[in-house]
Amino acid sequence: MSGQSLLVPGELSPARSVPGNIRRPEYVGRPAPTPYTGPEVQTPETIEAMRRAGRIAAQAMAEAAKIIAPGVTTDELDKVAHDYMCDHGAYPSTLGYRGFPKSLCTSVNEVICHGIPDSTVLRDGDIVNLDVTAYIGGVHGDNNATYLVGEVDEESRLLVERTRESLDRAIKAVRPGRQINIIGRVIESYAKRFGYGVVRDFTGHGINSSFHSGLIIPHYDSPHATTVIQPGMTFTIEPMLTLGTHEYDMWDDGWTVVTKDRRRTAQFEHTLVVTDTGAEILTLP
């Protein structure tokens, strides 16, 4: 297990600006988004728009990941992703979502999700998750991945590798006619092989013109996730696996979620569209 000291909040830089010609999601400047009331099955036109949004989100994440190294701040990662999305005509979906102050989430070590980029300096041996969502053409594309910083201990490296594998397995399990809970069943059964915790209170979600449509995608085998998968549905799968407990605490910022035992956690995510035979990944660079 890594001997790194626990994370503490850093200092926030001023909010980054977005060119005025870039279309904003409807929730920007408001306390919460308008609840989504549309269908979970999307039109071919919406799906094509989501491919574009997904590609931009994936490439923005890849560009930010290129500078991951000891000594780099999480705020620097935010700037790279922010600039890439804006340069390609996309709005960073997290910026202003329910008051979130930055253009991506950076979750380091024991942070499960929703870490806020700030003056925190990445250290040799850390792991860091980048969660990037782009809004363009009236739709969102959402993805994340966990990266190694310098020389990382074997336990952490395996956690990251296996979390990625759990997402891959879950995507392969998506089939029209199956219930949503097949996704969590596959993830949980795989994670249990290694004694990992599976975070339950933060889930995948429906996504389209809405950042979060209301459709819930649990990453554990939930008896309540009985929605039947249909072609044209668009949603994320984003398993969060932990070295210890799945229980969590929330920082005073109201966003940063950390494991209760402060052990490490990893996450991977793609936005998908269900096809007639499986699923297509929309967040590929």
Side-chain angles (χ1 to χ4, degrees), residues 75-89:
D75 192 60
E76 291 175 85
L77 301 175
D78 181 80
K79 183 180 188 305
V80 172
H82 176 94
D83 289 349
Y84 185 92
M85 285 185 274
C86 291
D87 288 348
H88 290 78

Side-chain angles (χ1 to χ4, degrees), residues 28-170:
V28 174
R30 301 174 60 240
T34 302
Y36 180 71
T37 57
E40 298 297 344
V41 172
Q42 303 304 310
T43 65
E45 293 76 19
T46 296
I47 293 166
E48 184 56 36
M50 291 181 67
R51 286 192 184 96
R52 181 185 181 199
R55 282 193 297 268
I56 292 173
Q59 192 60 43
M61 183 173 72
E63 291 299 313
K66 287 179 182 178
I67 71 163
I68 289 175
V72 172
T73 68
T74 55
D75 192 60
E76 291 175 85
L77 301 175
D78 181 80
K79 183 180 188 305
V80 172
H82 176 94
D83 289 349
Y84 185 92
M85 285 185 274
C86 291
D87 288 348
H88 290 78
Y91 186 91
S93 300
T94 59
L95 184 62
Y97 179 78
R98 297 183 182 272
F100 192 84
K102 291 293 177 178
S103 298
L104 80 163
C105 301
T106 50
S107 300
V108 179
N109 296 344
E110 69 269 21
V111 180
I112 294 172
C113 57
H114 304 158
I116 300 174
D118 59 18
S119 62
T120 296
V121 176
L122 297 176
R123 303 161 297 179
D124 186 62
D126 283 343
I127 59 175
V128 58
N129 179 273
L130 306 185
D131 192 340
V132 181
T133 311
Y135 177 79
I136 189 170
V139 298
H140 301 267
D142 186 4
N143 69 161
N144 76 54
T146 303
Y147 299 90
L148 310 182
V149 184
E151 295 295 322
V152 175
D153 67 90
E154 182 75 353
E155 184 179 47
S156 298
R157 186 189 65 78
L158 286 173
L159 173 68
V160 171
E161 179 182 301
R162 290 163 176 168
T163 305
R164 182 190 298 113
E165 175 67 16
S166 76
L167 173 60
D168 292 343
R169 289 173 179 242

Side-chain angles (χ1 to χ4, degrees), residues 41 173-183 217 226-231 233 235 274-275 278:
V41 172
V174 174
R175 292 284 188 281
R178 291 180 171 177
Q179 294 181 341
I180 288 291
N181 58 14
I182 186 65
I183 294 167
I217 312 295
T226 56
T227 299
V228 175
I229 298 170
Q230 302 176 60
M233 291 176 75
F235 53 81
V274 181
T275 67

